[in-house]
Amino acid sequence: SSDEHKLNFKKSKEACLSYIQDALLQKQWKRAAEFLTCYIESLEKDYSREHIGPSEMIWRIGTEILWHHSQSSMKEFNCFMEQMKTLGVKRYLKVCLEHVFHLLCNGKIDEAYQNLSLAESWRFGEQTAIQDKEMKLIQAYRGLLDYCSWSKQKNILLEHGEDEFSDLAVEQEMHGYFRKAAVNLKEIIKVPGVWDVFVKCYVDLLEFYGDHNEAHQVLNEYAYNSKFPANPNAHVYLYQFLKRQGESKKSLISALKILHDIVPSHELMIDFNTMLQKSKKRKRRRLGLEVIFAALDYAGWKENAKAWSCLARQVKQIVISEKHLDWIKQEWHSRKDWWPAFHFSRYLAKRNWQENKSLSYEKALVAGILLGKDCKYFKYVSRQGCKAQLKRFRMLKKFVNRHNLTVYLRISG
Amino acid sequence: MEFPAVLFPSYFGAGPPGEEGGPAPVAGWGEHGQVLDGGPGRRQVQPTFVPRRGSTGERWEAVDAAAVPVLLPSAGCWIPSPARQDILYRSDLCRKLRVGKSGATLDFARQLGHFFVDHPEDAFGSLGRLLHKNFHLGNSQLKRPARNSTIRMTALVEDINRLEARRGCPRGHLASRLRWFSHLCRDWLFEVPLGLLADCLHEELVQQWSNLLFDDSLTGGALAWLCPEDGGTPVGRLVHPGGQAMNHLYFQDMVLEELPRARGSPEQFELNGRIRQVSAARVDGQDFVGVRSDYHCGVWRVPGKTGAAPAPLQVIHTDLPASCLTVSPHLPGELSVCTQSGTVYLWSVETGLQQLRHDPQTMFFRDHSPWRWSDFTAHPRVLSYADRTGLQCLDARAPKRCHFDLFKVGEEASCQQGERVVLPMYLGRAHPSQYLVTTQFSVYVLDERLPLVPVLKWAHMMKAPPLFAHLTPGKPGGSHKVLLGTSCTQELLLLQYRDSFWGVSSGGSQLACQLVGTPQKLHNIAGCLQHLPTQLPHRHHLLQQRLTAPAAGLTATLQEDGSYKSMLIFQLSEAGDVFCQRLNHKAAQPSAPPLRDEATTAPGSSPLFEAPASSPQGLAAALRYRRWLRALSRACREPPRHTWLPSLSQRRLFTHRDLEGPAGPSSPQRQMRQRLRQTMQEGGRIQCWEPLALQPPPLPQTLEPTGGPDPLSSRLTAAWVGDWEQWWEERTSFSVAQRQRALRERRRRQKRAHGYRSLSASFTSSLTYQSELSELSDMGPSLLSPGCPPILSQEGSPPPNSPPVCSLPTSPAPDEALLSSQSLRCRGIPKERRKTLRDYLSVWAEGPPEPPEPLGSQASQLCIPSSQSQLSSASQPRRKRPRMGF
């Protein structure tokens, strides 16, 4: 019966697909290609209502094979892509985008640009939400390529600054690129998302033409709009922008404070700590200590010598001045039950000593102050340091011994 | 670790997933996802772009054509988990009714019947004992005084048998007699009220069925590899479960040669339940191994030195099944535990359990699954907490206040409808702030510094949800390898990703995470079946059943020797088999043709066995297979009948009154009984039931120096009254030295007595000497493991390892008169029991049983903790029934 026939056709389709899948997963591109030519038949009776139909499967599998097949060429790939674009209306933009990506990754920038322009002018009935998104992406990538051209022109202009006559044409061309890029880039960064590349380019353009207000606004929006994800880079870009603009310390600190709140382990926290340590305000120095302690809580910072030296410096200052020992006490309170095992074990003392002497010096200083001179880490490192006749380790021992009782009792008490 | 300066572009939306879902067979192919330029604004001719997916990765090629067994199969046959056909109702009628409906019909009645037959004591114990006298099972007519209080059950039994024969017949009318009986006794006959029992059974059946569809208790996998501290040496330690009930934890030292080889015997721990998960982490040069079973979690410490013994540290007991146990990679002796009620604990060996969260509801939307998971994050005090709907991070110092969402099944990560979290894993060894989350459709890499937005997403296209994952971190700048494994389909997939690539043109700042290379399918255990030599059909079936058992764990290790890099991947199956395969790293040769011809890996060809001599590696693998197959067939061979000691309970064979006889003992009977008792007291034996005149010369006096009853008779007496266990315990506490002394003393006396004793008597005494010897040698195992006396399930049965010398007759001792149906009938022993009795007695008459099994197999028999009844039913020839958790 016809029903059975349909069923069998479906079955053989599925079997063929599983063979292809198997071949792809074992990197047998030739075998996969042979099966794919059989699978093309499935297009004939495409009754499927699954969300990935045969035409999309053929596009996906074919692309994957052509990426890896030893005998495929760019020309063949382009040809295949053009065919795939006509195969399904719904996926036209998606296939275009992927085609462009492939061209870009292979350095075919101009071809990619042409494809983007073509895709942009494509219209078919009413756009779905997904197509709308894809269209915006296409425009944004075109904007990005315009930006690249602009930046190329800009570099030419900067290099040949003295030759005025030829510059005029180049300059005009450059401004043209600017306009095209700015329009497209501006559009996509209004939509919630992660648009690091586009935001960076757009801000660069605006800054070049002196529109600092707009740039500031864009960055503020990108960092603080609650509809956007909590992207640390948004805050970093804002901070860098403010720094470039020579903004006041206060605004820099407030930008970094927010970054500290969302990502305490960000690498800018060292800069932040240095900035705060230098401050005359007590509150900021207090915050600085908090920042560096918080950063060192993270596993990624465990062996960061720079961070340890920041902490060591600040802690040492506090101990020498004998003021604000309660700051250390407060910070230490929530850490005393796990920092010793996490940072100051004997095993780590050995390893740090072997791998990085200056790290072990800074850590030993902190350990000596926080845990007293009987701490395993301090004992091991100072003994090794004295054995190796290193002067600063002897100084360290002396320092810790001198301040030991007063400090340790007050911290732990 | 720096945060990438530029991330790949992506849209961000909030809310429930928009994309219509469903398994998509090829959804992961042919997409670059997005591209990122290596850094705009630099002085160069052209910007370079990198894709999110599609860059070339490292090339890893399998050495063998199939996975190779690592360990020999353990003794004792594997008991497969229940299969679909075991718990589904099989009937044509039902199949017809079900057409078009998706629901499956569970065969409830059959399972209840199994329970009654397999566990009569639990089902009807006390009433069965009470009513024993009132049920008559014989064919004979009941006599008058008995008829008032006794029912004849024979007809009823026949009815039941007839019903059994017509099983499945829809029009099978119940016999009225049966209906009458069931009306009468349904309310009081059962030990557990029938309604309650049925509820429990139904619950269990539904549970078993959902486990069959998707068993998430195995999440995480029960296999771990511990590298030695000094890295370079090619040794390591495999931690895996084993034993028939998978309740033994093994720490097996391995030497990594071409094929990994076990070195020495493993450290072994017997646990109190089936091992579901083994997780391990290295802190401060020591490995901490967490082991999860349903209601218990334990932690072991393994020093980093090679050959150091693992030490158990602590065990916790949970009221509800634990669903997750992970070991902290930051602090020694810290673990996180989740239970199915939605409670997550931070477990520290020093300070105990700290409850971080308790919420039976799921986090982001309602989902029925009680599965919960938890892992560690970059911050040692912050734990992740997952259910099927997403992941949250909790600060252990203030879990109620400080938490943030890390992953949501929703538009945020552009999930599909119906997508659910299957396994989250902290990728700390590759990158301190990255996380892997697998769902049934996709695999995500998350960065906790950018919550909710996956830094990487790829549709993995596996046929079942990946329950196991393993990370092999690469060198800085290199790619990290992630292995994903599924359970019932045994799939293994190798992915490579780079947590950061160094932008050439961006001045060396870190760029975003990308998936590199193509995903690669690895050999699974079942894949070797096609390479194995042809077997007899039933062997083939057994082998197939064994090799296609669901996977239960996965681990891998990287071996580096200069420029030569290879990866060993171990896969564990539910049957306890560990298979491994080696992948060799090939230096990048972009245009080189594939080294191995594609045809060799096509299905149907078996280079593993056809041309083993072509490479030494292939030969080793083939040899390994032969050994494994041989061991398997040895282990799974049906045990010959006679090695299984008959274990019968005399208690139920006769009641006290049966033995008393119908009308009071006659005088010869009384005489005989007296004689029997006396002989038993003396520890002797009765040659024949002839009058006293023909008795052999009297046996030497009791020889036990203590003067108490001799061991044989006390043992018999103990066995007779049923507290044989206690006797054995007392016995084992008796010191060996003392016994040896006694033995020597006895031997001396016997020698002295030799002169005046007849041949038969000397035979008897040397026989008892033998039995003493065997008892002594039996002290061995029980002294070695004082915690587990050899107990068999049936009460009153002889010990498995001491032959029942006591009743060994050298002549056809059970007297014909005793066995004749006449005499049995006149003792009131019903007809069907007469047969049993005769069988029983003839068993002892058959001559000495086989010597006990070798020690190893004995131990494995004796240490099965809970499913004792399972063991005994396993010895029966009929088809094993699914274990139902009773």
Side-chain angles (χ1 to χ4, degrees), chain A residues 21-22 25 27-28 60 64 67-68 94 98 101-102 133 136 141 192 194 196-197 233 237 267 297 299 345 347, chain B residues 3-5 7 9-12 25 27 29-36 45 53 229 284 378 380 518 521 601:
Chain A
Q21 183 77 353
D22 216 48
L25 285 171
K27 305 191 180 184
Q28 300 167 355
R60 286 183 180 276
E64 189 77 27
W67 280 355
H68 301 284
K94 173 106 180 151
E98 285 295 329
F101 291 158
H102 192 72
K133 279 181 171 181
K136 279 217 171 74
Y141 273 106
V194 178
D196 289 3
V197 199
N233 278 341
Y237 297 157
E267 61 272 13
D297 281 349
S345 69
Y347 176 85
Chain B
F3 193 75
L7 298 165
S10 68
Y11 280 99
F12 179 79
W29 301 118
E31 250 186 278
H32 282 302
Q34 297 287 337
V35 292
L36 202 57
V45 193
R53 179 183 166 249
E229 174 75 328
D284 281 5
T518 50
K521 188 179 147 186
T601 45

Side-chain angles (χ1 to χ4, degrees), chain B residues 493-511:
Chain B
L493 198 66
L494 172 69
L495 302 179
Q496 298 177 44
Y497 79 98
R498 226 174 271 159
D499 69 63
S500 59
F501 56 95
W502 295 85
V504 186
S505 51
S506 63
S509 70
Q510 245 176 344
L511 295 182

Side-chain angles (χ1 to χ4, degrees), chain B residues 531-661:
Chain B
H531 300 293
L532 296 180
T534 319
Q535 309 261 336
L536 290 173
H538 70 279
R539 280 265 184 80
H540 182 83
H541 175 74
L542 269 181
L543 194 63
Q544 188 178 23
Q545 197 183 27
R546 176 101 178 186
L547 291 173
T548 50
L554 132 80
T555 189
T557 179
L558 196 69
Q559 247 190 310
E560 278 183 277
D561 188 9
S563 60
Y564 168 77
K565 267 198 292 187
S566 75
M567 193 164 22
L568 270 168
I569 292 145
F570 298 90
Q571 195 178 19
L572 170 79
S573 82
E574 261 190 9
D577 293 323
V578 182
F579 277 56
C580 111
Q581 58 195 303
R582 185 184 284 277
L583 299 184
N584 274 347
H585 178 245
K586 298 279 182 241
Q589 298 161 315
S591 61
L595 291 180
R596 211 142 48 84
D597 189 18
E598 284 183 5
T600 57
T601 45
S605 65
S606 61
L608 191 66
F609 276 92
E610 275 167 13
S614 60
S615 70
Q617 173 76 30
L619 187 66
L623 274 177
R624 182 68 69 89
Y625 260 112
R626 291 223 168 99
R627 285 232 311 272
W628 187 81
L629 284 173
R630 213 178 305 137
L632 182 70
S633 68
R634 237 198 330 266
C636 284
R637 190 181 304 148
E638 200 158 297
R641 271 298 154 76
H642 51 272
T643 60
W644 288 86
L645 297 175
S647 52
L648 299 168
S649 161
Q650 320 82 320
R651 206 153 74 171
R652 259 175 277 154
L653 204 61
F654 322 101
T655 58
H656 190 57
R657 202 193 281 168
D658 283 343
L659 288 172
E660 262 181 12

